[in-house]
Amino acid sequence: MVPHFQILQQTQGDEGRSWYIILSGSVDVVTDRGGVVCTLHEGDDFGKLALVNTAPRAASVIVKEDNSHFLKVHKEHFLRILQDVEKNTVRLKGS
């Protein structure tokens, strides 16, 4: 688990290095142009677009509660998970 204060460093334009799953609490997704785009809650995730597209983060994330907890998956592990899912999907289609 990752303490909430480390998530605050994930700002629009940063390089994507991790994917996050919200275990408890909620976050606001904010862009420079539009303010709050949405609020994410327990079970939601963020950060995958920057990893999949190898692009800067499209939004900032602001934690709403002090007791929020997250599962952090580093980029190399996320990409391995994605490859495993893709292999299993191809295998299922061939069955």
Side-chain angles (χ1 to χ4, degrees):
M1 282 192 294
V2 178
H4 73 278
F5 60 85
Q6 290 182 2
I7 303 299
L8 293 174
Q9 298 173 3
Q10 305 305 312
T11 55
Q12 186 172 352
D14 285 353
E15 175 187 351
R17 295 185 182 157
S18 299
W19 171 47
Y20 297 89
I21 300 169
I22 303 170
L23 299 177
S24 65
S26 62
V27 299
D28 282 334
V29 178
V30 181
T31 64
D32 293 341
R33 290 186 182 176
V36 177
V37 175
C38 66
T39 300
L40 302 175
H41 304 277
E42 182 178 326
D44 292 330
D45 66 285
F46 60 92
K48 64 182 169 279
L49 285 178
L51 300 179
V52 171
N53 297 326
T54 314
R57 293 200 180 277
S60 299
V61 173
I62 300 172
V63 177
K64 294 182 71 164
E65 293 97 14
D66 286 340
N67 62 345
S68 297
H69 291 91
F70 305 87
L71 176 66
K72 179 179 181 180
V73 180
H74 292 282
K75 183 176 184 174
E76 58 273 6
H77 299 290
F78 173 80
L79 294 175
R80 191 185 82 232
I81 292 167
L82 200 59
Q83 288 173 347
D84 289 347
V85 168
E86 188 175 87
K87 286 178 191 174
N88 289 331
T89 302
V90 170
R91 197 175 315 148
L92 287 173
K93 285 182 180 179
S95 299

